Amino acid sequence: METEVSGIRTLHVPAPGCTRMTLHIGAGWADESFVTRGMTHAIEHLVMGAAEPGRLESNACVTPFQTAFWANGPADRVGRFLGQVAAALRDLPLDRLARERNVLEAETHGHTYGAHEVLLKSRFGNAGPGLGMFPGLGSLGLEPEVVARHHAQWFVAGNAVLTVVGPMPEDLDLRLPPGQAPARSFGSWSAGPAWDRADVSDPCASIEGRDAPAASLAIRATAGALERRLRHELGIVYGVVPDLIRLPGTGRVVLQLTTRSAPGAEAEVATALIEELEHRGQVGVTADELAEDLEWSAALADDLDTVASHVQLQAERLLAGQPAVQQADARARVAAVTAEEVTSALRESLPTAMLLVPRDCTAPAGLPLVPTCAAVPAFTTPRLRRRLRSGLPAGAELGFADDVVQYRDEDGDVHEVRFDECVGVGVARDGRLLFGRRGCFVWVDPREFRGAEAVVQAIDERVPAELRFALS
């Protein structure tokens, strides 16, 4: 049932027992920048630190496009807790920011990234959804003015959804500051189907397409077919995991497939991934696969966890600018999908297909190697001379001209960062590590190249100072 509480869009499913309530805010770490990384997480900590859950199951989390505060327990206690969360969102306790720094650093210390984050970074560069590869705190992530501005921009009533499964608490006060979420924009990668080597332990793949039932059905069917073949028939993977990520406000999704492969089987698994995607672009799904998908969803329809998951998904849809769909209607939409629709969806998405393999993996058959960062076709800048004792690999070159720095790596790829698209500058003694929005990074070190001191000086003069941070 769709309603409204305290001016916030609300999805309520009455049910006996405890109340599961979540306040969803349509702001996540993908709405940060390279140097403000971590500020959404800081807001979550400030809010949770001001709430007293008592004897409740409660927590909060930050995902690419959402910050969620939730509790599960007796309705009155749940309502009281979420009321405290809303009060802290109305009057953010920024005075706690300094004390939370150590807590945030402790929480993120040692955290690393996985295949999902590498796929997103390869598709979106060093910005937006690509920031998941950089856990921790950016140089401006805990600056009070920066955090306050981010909070005022995103944590508003028009960018919130409340979900309630169970009895509705009485006398709820979840008022938030008025306002609507800013518009988002995303770059697109369409050089595929292609492959690249990356910092992943196992092959993985992604495509981008329209947000429709055919897309979610296609990725589930593809993962199922791959697991049957690669695990149960060939015994070369532990599993194949599908994932769907909505890009809010665009009507598009990113579909990802990750694997856990047996040592030595990476090239075979990589080839199977792209072959299955291409095959689905020709045949769609079978009648048996569609029936199995519907049978599974119908069997779990009345399970309370399934109901709660569906409501959470509808909150995500509302925050992405789409209408909520009743659970029965969602199943009916999937039932109406035809093999031709799946075929069309995947065929349309294949130019965005990106396959990543471990760096020591042999080349998968039949695909071109296309660097997923902003590599350029040719080295166009004046080259700096390498020092005699340079420790860089053979073939490495550094070039600089006016507002662009280029670096040719040992594979011959030319990486480029222009000053006007620089998102961060790591500082280490005399060297500078430039991060470009489109995914490239270039290391400028006077110890490796003669004349690089002038490049460092140009970087310091022409790239905004707030983008600089110390390299650990």
Side-chain angles (χ1 to χ4, degrees):
M1 178 174 65
E2 194 164 348
T3 182
E4 190 174 287
V5 172
S6 300
I8 295 172
R9 293 168 292 177
T10 299
L11 301 174
H12 179 210
V13 178
C18 290
T19 294
R20 307 183 188 193
M21 189 158 72
T22 304
L23 180 61
H24 309 259
I25 307 292
W29 50 255
D31 299 310
E32 301 170 346
S33 70
F34 196 84
V35 292
T36 62
R37 190 73 171 89
M39 61 181 174
T40 311
H41 194 185
I43 291 172
E44 179 250 295
H45 270 236
L46 294 176
V47 171
M48 289 295 286
E52 298 178 2
R55 300 189 65 178
L56 276 179
E57 183 184 5
S58 63
N59 212 330
C61 65
V62 179
T63 61
F65 300 109
Q66 191 178 138
T67 302
F69 304 90
W70 60 269
N72 183 20
D76 58 339
R77 295 181 186 178
V78 168
R80 189 180 311 116
F81 171 71
L82 267 296
Q84 293 172 347
V85 165
L89 286 171
R90 289 194 298 271
D91 186 14
L92 193 65
L94 287 166
D95 57 308
R96 294 179 53 89
L97 204 50
R99 281 178 289 176
E100 286 297 325
R101 176 182 290 274
N102 289 339
V103 180
L104 287 161
E105 289 178 343
E107 183 179 350
T108 57
H109 178 70
H111 279 207
T112 184
Y113 50 82
H116 286 292
E117 288 78 22
V118 180
L119 281 166
L120 289 172
K121 190 264 184 185
S122 298
R123 185 170 294 278
F124 296 103
N126 297 321
L131 291 174
M133 267 193 69
F134 306 98
L137 296 171
S139 57
L140 300 179
L142 290 184
E143 289 295 318
E145 297 83 2
V146 174
V147 174
R149 186 164 57 247
H150 183 64
H151 167 259
Q153 189 175 30
W154 291 94
F155 288 74
V156 293
N159 194 33
V161 173
L162 179 70
T163 58
V164 184
V165 177
M168 177 71 77
E170 297 180 358
D171 302 322
L172 277 175
D173 181 5
L174 302 181
R175 289 172 295 124
L176 294 180
Q180 299 293 327
R184 296 178 174 99
S185 62
F186 304 95
S188 61
W189 188 91
S190 56
W195 72 282
D196 195 10
R197 293 187 173 91
D199 293 325
V200 293
S201 57
D202 303 282
C204 51
S206 74
I207 59 175
E208 183 180 332
R210 289 180 286 115
D211 188 357
S216 56
L217 178 59
I219 200 69
R220 291 194 299 270
T222 301
L226 283 165
E227 190 155 301
R228 287 191 296 272
R229 174 185 170 192
L230 300 180
R231 175 172 179 165
H232 301 294
E233 295 178 15
L234 300 179
I236 58 175
V237 302
Y238 176 73
V240 180
V241 179
D243 190 31
L244 182 150
I245 301 165
R246 281 189 170 81
L247 301 177
T250 67
R252 299 187 67 77
V253 292
V254 174
L255 305 172
Q256 300 193 150
L257 292 166
T258 56
T259 68
R260 285 181 61 184
S261 307
E266 292 85 359
E268 187 176 359
V269 172
T271 300
L273 280 173
I274 203 67
E275 284 180 348
E276 185 64 28
L277 285 172
E278 291 177 332
H279 174 67
R280 294 289 165 171
Q282 297 173 354
V283 303
V285 293
T286 67
D288 287 345
E289 286 172 331
L290 179 56
E292 181 183 13
D293 195 272
L294 290 170
E295 180 182 354
W296 178 254
S297 63
L300 297 176
D302 296 327
D303 178 77
L304 199 57
D305 288 334
T306 301
V307 172
S309 296
H310 175 79
V311 173
Q312 307 284 333
L313 180 60
Q314 299 317 303
E316 179 186 322
R317 285 177 57 87
L318 286 173
L319 291 172
Q322 300 179 24
V325 180
Q326 296 286 341
Q327 193 172 4
D329 293 339
R331 290 200 304 273
R333 288 187 179 194
V334 174
V337 173
T338 64
E340 290 74 20
E341 287 178 299
V342 176
T343 298
S344 175
L346 281 175
R347 189 174 295 156
E348 177 185 304
S349 299
L350 275 177
T352 73
M354 173 190 299
L355 173 68
L356 299 183
V357 301
R359 294 199 179 278
D360 58 354
C361 182
T362 56
L367 281 183
L369 171 63
V370 177
T372 52
C373 68
V376 294
F379 205 101
T380 58
T381 55
R383 293 167 172 80
L384 278 66
R385 293 180 57 191
R386 288 180 57 158
R387 295 192 182 275
L388 292 177
R389 296 185 178 182
S390 169
L392 294 174
E397 295 182 294
L398 183 71
F400 171 65
D402 191 29
D403 63 349
V404 61
V405 181
Q406 292 182 325
Y407 177 76
R408 188 193 303 276
D409 63 22
E410 61 269 33
D411 296 324
D413 295 326
V414 180
H415 304 275
E416 176 180 284
V417 177
R418 307 186 72 86
F419 288 169
D420 61 0
E421 66 166 21
C422 183
V423 297
V425 180
V427 178
R429 296 186 180 180
D430 296 330
R432 300 292 183 269
L433 182 60
L434 286 177
F435 291 84
R437 177 176 296 276
R438 292 178 293 162
C440 284
F441 60 89
V442 174
W443 174 240
V444 180
D445 191 346
R447 294 172 298 179
E448 304 288 352
F449 291 96
R450 296 182 183 275
E453 296 87 352
V455 184
V456 169
Q457 182 179 353
I459 293 169
D460 290 347
E461 290 176 353
R462 300 178 61 183
V463 177
E466 61 265 24
L467 298 185
R468 293 202 290 270
F469 60 94
L471 288 173
S472 56

